[in-house]
Amino acid sequence: MLSENEMWDLLGRKIQVDLDTGDSRRSDSTVGNLMTCDPVSQSLVIAKMGSDSTIQTIEWIPSSSVKAIKPLEGSGSDQNVVNSVLDKYFEQSKGSSEDSEEVIKARALKVVEYLRCHHLDVTEKPNGTYIIAGTVRFERPYTNSNFYCDIPIVLKRILKLVEEIN
Amino acid sequence: MSSGITKEEEQRRRAVLRERYLIFLQKAAHKSAIIGTCENTKLTATIKSFQLSSEHVIVENLATPIGNIPKAVLRSTDIVKIQIDPKQTTTN
């Protein structure tokens, strides 16, 4: 397995991944452009690009299946296109909320007031995070998916409570 | 250790790689997938979520050669690769 720095250098580049199929008589490999390599689990995510430079298929490969990684050659101009396509894929998840600052703040205040009316202690931290009952974090942009808590049952109850807010 | 790369840069790179991975995991949820396993079997299923450590994958409607399983947890050590079509709409 390559090091993290070698993986970084291969980002967006076409690679061949030799796969461990668990059967020594059967070898398999896959080719695609490296989207990312998880530094925690060493899992690979590669993209198979179409002739129109769009992502046709994405493959997730666990680290246990990776026998070897070989960089393949690609042309410079194609590489720029591929990099921009992959960057766009990852950008789509970020900043999906186009709400203005006022809307975001109003939403937060509405939820905080509602929780306080239900006798829950809500404190605001300097970075804009609200702490509910000392255990649940409520973060920007203050939607239902922005409640975080390590205790599932507490999180479930808070989410049930805020579901009732219009 | 890394050659010529500061600790801060190394940390930044790890953060970028991890963030990209987490975005992929988020996008892969609720998508149909073809799962290649170690027994040279191709299964189809709807991905519910990946364990954050990526040791297990939770799936629904797993179609196997011996029948369909409504819900299953797959070990990543049994999986060779998972193919996902990024253009498909999210299934419930």
Side-chain angles (χ1 to χ4, degrees), chain A residues 60-73:
Chain A
W60 174 81
I61 304 168
S63 58
S64 52
S65 298
V66 177
K67 262 165 69 172
I69 300 170
K70 295 167 197 163
L72 300 175
E73 285 182 19

Side-chain angles (χ1 to χ4, degrees), chain B residues 56-72:
Chain B
H56 296 93
V57 183
I58 302 167
V59 300
E60 264 186 354
N61 303 321
L62 179 67
T64 76
I66 57 168
N68 284 4
I69 302 169
K71 293 179 205 280

